[in-house]
Amino acid sequence: MKIDKSIIKELSDYLDEFNLTEIEITEKDTKIKVSKNNVSSNNQPVTASVSPAIKNEIVNSESNINSGTEITSPIIGTAYHAPEPGAKKFVEVGKKIKKGDTIMIVEAMKTMNHVPSTADGIVKEICVEDGHPVEFGQTIIILE
């Protein structure tokens, strides 16, 4: 795994700019946490770490990526697995889907956006929980 040092530098700058002691960023399956010790001097050491549990997830997800097709979110918003609460989900693990089938809804600014499948396949993994936020380009489903 290769981590872009400029991201750590940028997060370190945010610590000073906003007078924070800790900041964390999660992108796909990578989680970077930067924190500084509360030392009374101006030369405050900054540390960066990647959680061991996340390292294992990164290794596992890299092997999943090689054996599946990722479908990513086209927009930032809140992901919903069904058209309304209590309704049947669009997809479930093991379900065969075709290109163009709605796999999820991403709500952004009170607009419900249907996300179509970009490929045919069988749903291997649903990577986002119902009602949770998603980022642009975040993997939401993996197909076999």
Side-chain angles (χ1 to χ4, degrees):
M1 177 179 77
K2 184 161 177 103
I3 296 176
D4 187 0
K5 292 179 184 177
S6 65
I7 293 172
I8 295 173
K9 173 69 173 126
E10 186 176 343
L11 293 174
S12 297
D13 292 342
Y14 287 150
L15 289 177
D16 293 333
E17 182 179 344
F18 299 110
N19 197 25
L20 302 172
T21 57
E22 182 175 292
I23 191 167
E24 186 175 297
I25 184 171
T26 303
E27 188 173 294
K28 289 192 179 184
D29 295 329
T30 303
K31 180 177 177 180
I32 300 173
K33 179 178 177 181
V34 178
S35 62
K36 64 181 177 181
N37 295 333
N38 279 338
V39 180
S40 60
S41 71
N42 289 338
N43 298 329
Q44 297 175 337
V46 176
T47 61
S49 66
V50 177
S51 166
I54 297 299
K55 287 180 186 176
N56 291 337
E57 287 178 25
I58 292 168
V59 170
N60 292 338
S61 70
E62 285 174 353
S63 62
N64 288 344
I65 292 169
N66 295 334
S67 64
T69 303
E70 289 186 7
I71 299 176
T72 59
S73 176
I75 57 174
I76 295 173
T78 302
Y80 295 103
H81 293 187
E84 59 186 40
K88 183 180 175 191
K89 294 180 180 181
F90 291 112
V91 296
E92 301 214 20
V93 174
K95 181 179 179 184
K96 186 174 183 176
I97 61 172
K98 294 183 179 180
K99 183 176 181 179
D101 288 352
T102 298
I103 57 168
M104 208 170 283
I105 289 177
V106 177
E107 182 262 328
M109 298 182 67
K110 305 291 184 206
T111 302
M112 300 300 178
N113 302 283
H114 289 254
V115 179
S117 175
T118 55
D120 295 344
I122 298 172
V123 178
K124 180 177 182 180
E125 182 181 352
I126 299 173
C127 303
V128 64
E129 291 185 42
D130 190 39
H132 282 118
V134 292
E135 297 290 328
F136 169 79
Q138 178 180 344
T139 301
I140 55 177
I141 288 185
I142 298 176
L143 301 177
E144 288 181 338

